[in-house]
Amino acid sequence: MASKILLFLFSIFLYSFPRLILSLSADQTVQTFIIRVNSQSKPSIFPTHYHWYASEFADPPRILHTYDTVFHGFSATLTKNEADTIGKNPSVLAVFKDRRRELHTTRSPQFLGLRNQRGLWSDSDYGSDVIIGLLDTGIWPERRSFSDKNLGPVPSRWKGACQAGEKFTVLNCNRKLIGAKFFSKGHDASASVGGPMVSNDTVEYRSPRDADGHGTHTASTAAGRYVFQANMSGYASGIAKGVAPKARLAVYKVCWKNSGCFDSDILSAFDTAVKDGVDVISISIGGSDGVSSPYYLDPIAIGSYGAVSRGIFVSSSAGNGGPDVMTVTNLAPWLTTVGAGTIDRNFPAIIKLGNGKQFSGVSLYAGAPIGGKMYPLVYPGKSGVLAASLCMENSLDPNAVRGKIVICDRGSSARVAKGLEVKKAGGVGMILANGMTAGEGLVGDAHILPACAIGVNEGDLVKKYLSTTPNPTATIDFQGTLLGIKPAPIVASFSGRGLNGLDPNILKPDLIAPGVNILAAWTDAIGPTGLDSDTRRTEFNILSGTSMACPHVSGAAALLKSAHRNWSPAMIRSAMMTTANVLDNRNQPMMDEANGKQSTPYGFGAGHVNLGQAMDPGLVYDITNEDYVNFLCGVGYGLKEIQVITKSVPNCPRKKPLAENLNYPSIAAWFSSAKVGAISKNFLRTVTNVGEVNAIYTVKVESPKGVTVVVKPTKLAFTAAVKKLSYVVTVTTDSKSLTLDDSGAVFGSISWSDGVGKHVVRSPIVVTLLTPL
């Protein structure tokens, strides 16, 4: 009887309560907004938060998602006036627009330092008890990489499910792929008001099935099973395997082919993944505008905090905006942000000119070879028409390119799409020449005609030959797969670079992993170029991007989580960062692909992942939820803004914390360029001993040029009773005499060594000058 009375009262309330929402006007544009609500403000008359939202804020059909785990609130289609009105409600903490995000698009496990018979693979049983959640474009479940042969039962803690949909049933899940869901309400709402949508001539599935290929590729990179005789049209032949081959996969499709990924769907996927029981979340997605929002307005930062605060490791891609400085994305300090490096494998192709000169490039072309025949060479950009120089759609004159090898400048359109334009115009081949932005950075593509990518210097030389020769000719010789490349790794030209444009107290990226020419599983919905006109189908594809680097670290985290179940996400990240390599396979400092010079922590963070050492790092830097809250207090966020991220009302210390004292495994010291004379900053760090019980560590300092670095104490003695010890780093410089490099910084490091050569715990130091606003 009481429940009936409550329902009756609720019905009266629902229809009589003065709603905040205004009626729609014809001249008001509807778009999706995400609303962060104080969950404690819900009137008791409402049985659920959804009923409250539907009564007070928006009509039920306009509510897209409700969030209750990593975030409290909802998303809805509203006009700006309606959103502004809702924002004035005292129960509402924040209102922000739904944004469109972009994807940051078999030898690599060995290049991470993994070996079959010993080390992290064997100690973690290849990650068999760990669940990796991937937020991406879905999965092609039939691929051999997702077989559950000889896998044990699904972990009992798993609470997720397999969501059926178009050409995807619950039977597509197994003991390997233990969950699959899709999130499209934000995407659909955007399409309904004129945003990007799936076109009629594009294959897409309203289900977890992957029509794009990106999600299948990242999933198998992180946790693909052993697959023998793997290759992409003959390239990279061998055994394909993910970093954590026995880890379980849960796929959350949030990105849709040709139309991107929307924050409201991403946040809902975070919410669901945490409730489902994943241990690791991998998200190779980031902003498309190059601008980073404050953490409290960034759903990826908010969703990942909700996951990390519950012990779930979250890895994210650093973005493909390099090599310019301040292009790194996904900057929240609780995220592990991953840049991209090369591995010791390449796919060379040789351009031979009519004058006998040769230039080395890269290609994954697998069709009929040119056969050494020399063809006329043409550069459409010689006419001065920009679109023609870039080989944009319908820009090429068939009379000018028919039967010739065409030079196309890189940029503005997909690399493989340029080849398609050349082929449509009757060209027989393409030389894809980098501009200054890409520099010497090369990635392989499965072109639909004979084509080769070359660096900016080689491109200029080829163009010079063409402009000074009456009848220029060229041919392309494809060399296949070459192993043992030196130097490697090299920081990829495209990989997002520091400075951290949101908060210079935190060095980003955190580290790099293999992200250039990575072989992994592929969808059967589209060919290896991703072009709708590409009718080829292949089980594997070779892709490049920080999207490919991120799942390497996701898989690595799964292995470390399996081997060390009590480690926090911060401890796992610390283990990878402090043991990372800063030397290449020549034992020389790591190089930068963009300019051929020595790279810096703005490119590689702490270094390149080395899982052979990360299993036993000796010391780790742990960070608690309270530490993150103090950091947010320290950067100047208000209590309401912090609560948007943390859900609970924060308790900022009376004395404002110093943001630079967040217990991060790297040190970023920035000083005002306006200050004159010697200037100093102190950085407090605390290390936890996870190695031998009785150990003494001694510090070694490599001070940046023009900077004095002092560490106190210089020795740390651990015992059974003393597992944690702190130290202070004092960084001193003079802004007038400090000479910065081209990136606007100088670099050094501190390393704690146990004296027996087993453990060296290294942290990079970055010092920069910033002009006050």
Side-chain angles (χ1 to χ4, degrees), residues 523-696:
T523 178
D524 211 36
I526 199 164
T529 61
L531 298 172
D532 290 336
S533 60
D534 188 353
T535 59
R536 297 172 296 173
R537 294 296 181 265
T538 179
E539 183 180 5
F540 292 90
N541 200 2
I542 296 173
L543 299 181
S544 298
T546 55
S547 277
M548 285 62 253
C550 171
H552 279 89
V553 169
S554 306
L559 297 178
L560 290 169
K561 183 76 172 177
S562 183
H564 303 285
R565 294 300 304 189
N566 62 333
W567 279 13
S568 70
M571 295 169 76
I572 292 172
R573 174 177 60 192
S574 174
M576 286 191 273
M577 288 179 65
T578 61
T579 60
N581 290 332
V582 294
L583 302 178
D584 59 29
N585 55 2
R586 305 168 305 169
N587 208 33
Q588 297 293 319
M590 206 182 314
M591 306 300 290
D592 191 317
E593 186 182 42
N595 55 26
K597 298 179 181 179
Q598 185 173 325
S599 188
T600 72
Y602 274 176
F604 57 67
H608 187 279
V609 179
N610 178 6
L611 291 182
Q613 298 295 322
M615 170 71 180
D616 182 15
L619 306 176
V620 293
Y621 295 83
D622 197 9
I623 304 177
T624 66
N625 294 341
E626 183 181 359
D627 294 332
Y628 285 126
V629 170
N630 286 339
F631 166 81
L632 294 171
C633 298
V635 298
Y637 285 3
L639 298 182
K640 190 175 180 181
E641 294 165 338
I642 297 173
Q643 190 180 356
V644 171
I645 302 167
T646 63
K647 290 181 58 177
S648 58
V649 179
N651 182 22
C652 287
R654 182 171 299 178
K655 183 179 179 181
K656 184 179 178 181
L658 297 175
E660 58 262 33
N661 283 341
L662 182 68
N663 201 38
Y664 220 72
S666 56
I667 293 174
W670 65 273
F671 298 96
S672 171
S673 59
K675 291 188 177 181
V676 179
I679 43 180
S680 296
K681 270 190 179 181
N682 294 325
F683 299 82
L684 176 66
R685 293 292 186 268
T686 300
V687 287
T688 301
N689 182 23
V690 294
E692 285 73 15
V693 173
N694 297 301
I696 298 176

